[in-house]
């Protein structure tokens, strides 16, 4: 591993709800299926899935695009084609702050990425452009050819397990090493038995149809934050699908959102956790720059294992269980038990989440930016001449941050971002540069930043930098990804890197109250933190292509 100094060297190439509204799933749980899986598994070892065996056979005898021996039948996903007309860049209203949300109808405040496209075209995660039958066949063969290298990519080509999403319309070389939702849910990754999709739901029937298709009618739990009419509509849409059940995230503080994007995937061969930045809509998986952390395949622990077995050095297992327990949902207890039964010891990232509430004492450091501050103090080494190492934040939405930087950004939030090592107390926070990477569009559709909020904080614009990602071919793929990091001034090293669902807002990160004795958070968020100390045995990847220049 490339290292320099004690710090390590990384090469950079809404209001309260009634009991009825907050009730759990209206459909039976998937316990019988999961119990059957437990019964078939006698030990921690798993065979390869049949799909993975087939992939290895294909690699030994690669397919060619013109290979007539392979069926040219259009894949099922390819039979649902939708025109891209009207599928422009969409507004994300879910990230707005309270004063902005008060100006919107209640139903609109609970939705993100609302588009002008016809409803029947709202989500086609397979592909949206029309192709001839021969083109479809060739594309399908090419997809299979790419898929046969995916497993090797996950296990050897990317030790950090961080990926960008594939973007439609860019050169194919730029999509090398990137993932699509169909890759994540592919049987190449394992024999899928059950899944939980934790996301901000756009209340679209197409979400349920497409996800259900990829999961081959396997049990699917959708964790959402919809309320009242939106919740009733979502449940009605899902009623015809017997494999789909729901869990409502309780939002006890006004104007909070359920903004986390996570997948829990249970296979016959083990368990996988996926933490990402995409909503369950087509545009997020085709047209935008998104980030994905995809865990290793976690094997099941031997029967009878108790205590802290299967925990990683980053405490990822216990932190994930704590996050799910914060929902206070009997429906999620099933997934908590499954996580407890698996070995997550190979995890090298730290989990960083936000959950709605007002926290005091030691609980203040469990969530939000104070959680980041605690992790950096405990696990990040001191940075030499760290006043020259800027803080870089990149996001897709901005909240109301106050009349000037001292109200939040350059005070409590920046203090958390610069908390690397024990010497942080000797550094004046104002000495550390802050760079905020955004993409501002004259149409107002790319960055949900209302004119009313912007006019109240003109001081913030001096921190802005334009998004550019020529190295990864994504300068024109709107960044919905959210990242925060601490690079060196020449961008050749990095002290830490975070990919998360949290935008630049107090609702997402939390704000101190009562003279700093209480942290108030409105929304659910989730991300993973990368630090060099957790990867000391691994060689580093070239990370510059993963971000804007």
């Amino acid at each position: 591993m490339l290292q320099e100094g004690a710090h390590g060297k990384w090469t950079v190439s809404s209001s309260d709800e009634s009991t009825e509204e907050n009730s759990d799933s209206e459909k039976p749980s998937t316990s019988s299926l999961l119990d059957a899986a437990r019964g078939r598994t006698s030990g921690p070892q798993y065979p390869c899935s049949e799909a993975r065996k087939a992939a290895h056979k294909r690699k030994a005898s690669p397919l060619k695009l013109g290979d007539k021996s392979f069926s040219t039948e259009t894949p099922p996903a390819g039979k649902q084609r939708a025109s891209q007309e009207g599928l422009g860049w969409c507004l994300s209203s879910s990230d707005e702050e309270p004063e902005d949300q008060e100006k919107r109808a209640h139903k609109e405040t609970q939705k993100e990425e609302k588009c002008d496209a016809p409803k029947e075209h709202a989500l086609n995660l397979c592909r949206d452009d029309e192709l001839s039958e021969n083109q479809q066949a060739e594309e399908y063969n090419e997809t299979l050819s790419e898929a046969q290298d995916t497993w090797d990519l996950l296990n050897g080509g990317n030790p950090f397990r961080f990926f960008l999403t594939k973007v439609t319309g860019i050169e194919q070389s730029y999509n090398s090493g990137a993932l699509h939702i169909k890759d994540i849910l592919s049987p190449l990754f394992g024999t899928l038995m059950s899944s939980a999709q934790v996301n901000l739901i756009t209340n679209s029937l197409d979400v349920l149809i497409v996800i259900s298709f990829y999961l081959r009618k396997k049990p699917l739990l959708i964790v959402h934050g919809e309320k009242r009419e939106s919740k009733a509509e979502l449940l009605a849409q899902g009623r015809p699908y017997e494999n789909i059940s729901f869990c409502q995230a309780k939002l006890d503080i006004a104007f909070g959102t359920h903004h986390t994007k996570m997948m829990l995937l249970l296979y016959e061969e083990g368990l996988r956790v996926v933490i990402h930045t995409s909503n369950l809509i087509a545009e997020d998986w085709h047209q935008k720059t998104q980030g994905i952390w995809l865990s290793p395949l976690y094997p099941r622990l031997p029967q009878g294992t108790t205590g802290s077995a299967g925990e990683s050095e980053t405490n990822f297992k216990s932190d994930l269980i704590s996050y799910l327990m914060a929902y206070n949902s009997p429906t999620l207890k099933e997934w908590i038990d499954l996580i407890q039964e698996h070995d997550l010891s190979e995890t090298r990232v730290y989990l960083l989440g936000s959950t709605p509430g007002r926290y005091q004492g030691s609980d203040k450091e469990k969530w939000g930016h104070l959680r980041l501050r605690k992790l950096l103090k405990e696990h990040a080494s001191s940075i030499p001449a760290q006043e020259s190492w800027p803080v870089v934040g990149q996001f897709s939405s901005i909240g109301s941050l106050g009349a000037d930087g001292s109200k939040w950004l350059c005070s409590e939030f920046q203090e958390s971002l610069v908390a690397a090592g024990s010497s942080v107390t000797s550094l004046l926070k104002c000495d550390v540069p802050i760079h905020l990477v955004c993409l501002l569009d004259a149409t107002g559709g790319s960055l949900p930043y209302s004119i009313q909020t912007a006019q109240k904080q003109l001081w913030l614009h001096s921190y802005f930098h334009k998004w550019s990602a020529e190295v990864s071919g994504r300068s024109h793929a709107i960044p919905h990804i959210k990242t925060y990091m601490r690079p060196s001034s020449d961008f050749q090293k990095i002290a830490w890197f975070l990919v998360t669902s949290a935008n630049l807002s107090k609702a997402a990160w939390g704000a101190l109250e009562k003279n700093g004795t209480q942290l108030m958070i409105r929304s659910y968020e989730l991300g993973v933190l990368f630090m060099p100390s957790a990867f000391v045995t691994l060689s580093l990847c070239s990370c510059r292509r993963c971000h804007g220049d």
Side-chain angles (χ1 to χ4, degrees):
M1 173 183 178
L2 295 175
Q3 279 191 308
E4 185 172 300
H7 64 279
K9 176 180 178 180
W10 283 29
T11 300
V12 181
S13 187
S14 294
S15 55
D16 297 340
E17 293 293 298
S18 66
T19 303
E20 180 180 359
E21 284 180 309
N22 281 326
S23 61
D24 273 310
S25 169
E26 297 186 2
K27 293 187 179 181
S29 71
T30 59
S31 298
S32 58
L33 175 62
L34 306 185
D35 289 341
R38 294 188 182 108
R40 287 197 296 270
T41 307
S42 58
Q45 300 300 320
Y46 291 90
C48 289
S49 69
E50 293 302 317
R52 201 178 306 151
K53 291 177 182 178
H56 286 303
K57 291 180 180 179
R58 284 197 298 272
K59 189 167 185 179
S61 180
L63 289 169
K64 297 181 179 179
L65 296 183
D67 190 350
K68 300 302 182 181
S69 64
F70 188 81
S71 171
T72 59
E73 180 183 357
T74 302
K79 295 179 180 179
Q80 298 180 1
R81 302 290 176 183
S83 172
Q84 286 185 324
E85 183 178 356
L87 292 180
W89 306 126
C90 307
L91 178 65
S92 172
S93 62
S94 68
D95 298 320
E96 291 176 343
E97 284 294 281
E99 58 266 38
D100 299 320
Q101 291 187 353
E102 287 172 354
K103 297 178 177 62
R104 303 176 66 89
H106 171 77
K107 188 173 183 179
E108 291 301 316
T109 63
Q110 298 298 317
K111 297 184 179 181
E112 183 174 4
E113 309 292 348
K114 198 67 176 178
C115 304
D116 295 330
K119 186 172 183 179
E120 62 269 22
H121 293 167
L123 181 63
N124 182 347
L125 296 180
C126 306
R127 192 168 167 82
D128 293 312
D129 46 333
E130 296 180 349
L131 299 173
S132 68
E133 183 174 339
N134 289 337
Q135 287 175 315
Q136 291 172 0
E138 289 186 355
E139 183 185 77
Y140 189 44
N141 287 344
E142 184 177 3
T143 299
L144 290 176
S145 298
E146 294 171 356
Q148 62 193 23
D149 294 325
T150 301
W151 187 250
D152 291 337
L153 171 70
L154 292 178
N155 281 274
N158 189 335
F160 300 110
R161 312 190 69 84
F162 172 72
F163 304 89
L164 296 177
T165 51
K166 294 180 178 177
V167 174
T168 301
I170 66 175
E171 293 183 15
Q172 187 58 35
S173 61
Y174 290 130
N175 280 324
S176 176
L179 294 175
H180 188 271
I181 189 172
K182 65 184 179 183
D183 299 318
I184 298 173
L185 299 178
S186 166
L188 287 169
F189 285 13
T191 308
L192 195 61
M193 298 177 60
S194 184
S195 170
Q197 293 285 339
V198 185
N199 210 290
L200 188 145
I201 303 301
T202 59
N203 205 10
S204 169
L205 178 61
D206 295 302
V207 173
L208 309 181
I209 293 174
V210 175
I211 296 297
S212 181
F213 166 78
Y214 278 122
L215 298 182
R216 274 69 175 179
K217 298 185 178 180
K218 300 296 184 181
L220 167 62
L221 174 66
I222 294 182
V223 183
H224 65 94
E226 299 294 323
K227 297 181 180 181
R228 302 185 179 92
E229 294 85 358
S230 295
K231 176 186 174 182
E233 183 180 352
L234 182 66
L235 296 179
Q237 290 176 340
R239 197 162 290 125
Y241 305 95
E242 296 181 356
N243 62 310
I244 298 177
S245 57
F246 298 89
C247 171
Q248 182 186 14
K250 298 177 177 63
L251 292 164
D252 296 328
I253 300 180
F255 308 113
T257 57
H258 183 253
H259 203 241
T260 293
K261 295 98 168 59
M262 175 172 64
M263 305 181 193
L264 300 174
L265 306 174
L266 178 67
Y267 306 96
E268 289 184 4
E269 299 85 7
L271 177 74
R272 196 184 304 278
V273 178
V274 184
I275 296 175
H276 58 101
T277 65
S278 302
N279 294 302
L280 296 179
I281 59 174
E283 291 75 24
D284 274 27
W285 290 96
H286 280 297
Q287 298 175 325
K288 298 179 182 177
T289 300
Q290 307 277 8
I292 302 169
W293 176 78
L294 193 144
S295 80
L297 181 64
Y298 298 130
R300 188 180 295 277
L301 290 166
Q303 289 185 354
T305 303
T306 58
S308 60
E311 182 59 278
S312 69
E313 293 184 3
T314 61
N315 293 314
F316 183 87
K317 182 175 183 177
S318 59
D319 289 337
L320 179 59
I321 289 174
S322 294
Y323 175 80
L324 293 176
M325 289 180 64
Y327 284 86
N328 194 27
S329 166
T331 303
L332 284 172
K333 178 63 166 58
E334 182 175 340
W335 282 98
I336 292 172
D337 291 342
L338 282 168
I339 293 168
Q340 190 66 59
E341 295 169 4
H342 284 78
D343 182 358
L344 279 62
S345 61
E346 292 301 311
T347 311
R348 297 178 180 269
V349 295
Y350 295 86
L351 192 72
L352 199 159
S354 293
T355 59
R358 291 178 169 87
Y359 304 100
Q360 298 178 343
S362 60
D363 288 343
K364 287 195 307 178
E365 296 182 324
K366 290 181 63 176
W367 314 110
H369 74 80
L370 291 188
R371 162 71 172 168
L372 176 61
R373 184 184 302 184
K374 177 180 173 65
L375 289 173
L376 293 180
K377 282 184 176 181
E378 293 180 349
H379 303 287
S381 300
S382 298
I383 301 171
Q386 64 168 305
E387 64 275 4
S388 66
W389 290 51
V391 170
V392 179
Q394 179 275 309
F395 38 83
S396 62
S397 178
I398 302 174
S400 178
L401 307 182
D404 56 66
S406 67
K407 302 303 181 184
W408 185 79
L409 177 66
C410 299
S411 55
E412 61 181 271
F413 188 56
Q414 186 178 8
E415 185 174 345
S416 293
L417 295 174
V418 302
S422 58
S423 64
V424 66
T425 55
S426 63
L427 178 70
L428 294 176
K429 296 185 293 298
C430 60
D431 291 337
V432 179
I434 298 178
H435 303 313
L436 304 180
V437 182
C438 313
L439 191 148
L440 297 173
D441 188 348
T443 65
S446 303
L447 184 70
Y449 189 32
S450 73
I451 187 64
Q452 293 87 353
T453 302
Q455 288 176 340
K456 294 177 182 178
Q457 47 194 36
L458 296 177
W459 58 268
L460 184 61
H461 294 190
S462 64
Y463 295 92
F464 285 168
H465 294 261
K466 183 180 179 180
W467 165 267
S468 176
E470 294 298 322
V471 175
S472 60
R474 287 166 169 78
S475 289
H476 299 290
I478 286 181
H480 189 262
I481 187 175
K482 298 95 166 107
T483 61
Y484 302 81
M485 62 179 173
R486 190 81 187 277
S488 59
S489 58
D490 60 2
F491 282 82
Q492 297 304 305
K493 308 170 189 175
I494 186 169
W496 56 266
F497 170 76
L498 171 69
V499 59
T500 177
S501 63
N503 285 300
L504 188 68
S505 75
K506 292 185 286 187
W509 285 100
L512 291 171
E513 299 177 328
K514 297 184 177 179
N515 294 321
T517 63
Q518 178 173 284
L519 182 71
M520 189 270 284
I521 299 176
R522 298 178 185 272
S523 301
Y524 290 90
E525 308 282 358
L526 199 62
V528 291
L529 175 65
F530 300 78
M531 285 194 279
S533 59
F535 293 88
V536 291
T537 60
L538 299 176
S539 60
L540 289 167
C541 69
S542 178
C543 295
R544 187 167 186 174
R545 65 170 299 174
C546 300
H547 316 291
D549 296 335

